[in-house]
Structures are given as C-alpha cells and as structure tokens.
C-alpha cells in the first residue's frame, strides 16, 4: 500500500506541476484562508470548473503537508471521479 501511495503522490505532484498558473491561483488563496476546510476548498475548486483530479493536484501544490488528507477529501467529495484522482 505504501508503494502505491507513493506512486499516487508522485503522479498527483506531476499533475500539479502541469496545471496552468491561473487554475492554481484561486485554490492557493482558498487554501491560505484558514477558515476554509478542505471540503470547502474542494467544493469551491469544483465550482470554479476544475476537475476533482486537478483540484486535488492544485491543493497539494498549495500545501504538500496535507497531501494524504487532500486525496481523501477528493475521494469523499467527488467519489465518481475516484479513478482520475488516484490515477
């Protein structure tokens, strides 16, 4: 499982590096606001038009220390996009 999680995290970080700067700008500001929960940030990112996978990648880019919690949040908020989140 640990090897799978490391592979998943590497893929998510790679996706985050490929995101356009505009897409990550709002997520970064959402993450900087301590009154926003991860669920709120994810919901706002989805409302802004990001896919769940892109939102997860942008959130991890904004705060890598919360990577595991962010991935779990993505799977809870958008279970129908599970495959894209962990791909």
């Amino acid at each position: 499982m640990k090897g799978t999680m490391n592979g998943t995290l590497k893929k998510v970080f790679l996706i985050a590096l490929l995101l356009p700067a505009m897409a990550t700008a709002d997520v970064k500001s959402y993450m900087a606001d301590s009154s926003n929960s991860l669920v709120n940030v994810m919901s706002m990112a989805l409302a802004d038009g990001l896919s769940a996978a892109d939102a997860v990648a942008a959130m991890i880019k904004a705060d890598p220390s919360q990577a595991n919690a962010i991935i779990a949040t993505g799977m809870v908020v958008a279970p129908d996009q599970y495959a894209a989140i962990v791909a």
Side-chain angles (χ1 to χ4, degrees):
M1 169 127 174
K2 186 174 182 175
T4 303
M5 183 59 77
N6 285 338
T8 300
L9 290 176
K10 287 178 184 176
K11 289 178 185 178
V12 171
F13 279 108
L14 180 60
I15 293 168
L17 293 174
L18 299 176
L19 284 174
M22 269 237 7
T24 59
D26 287 335
V27 172
K28 186 175 181 178
S29 66
Y30 298 156
M31 292 289 290
D33 184 347
S34 63
S35 68
N36 287 328
S37 68
L38 292 177
V39 171
N40 289 346
V41 172
M42 177 68 65
S43 297
M44 290 186 290
L46 294 174
D48 286 347
L50 291 178
S51 69
D54 289 344
V56 165
M59 291 169 69
I60 291 172
K61 185 176 181 181
D63 188 356
S65 70
Q66 295 192 66
N68 289 335
I70 291 167
I71 292 168
T73 300
M75 291 186 290
V76 169
V77 172
D80 55 318
Q81 296 185 43
Y82 171 84
I85 293 169
V86 298

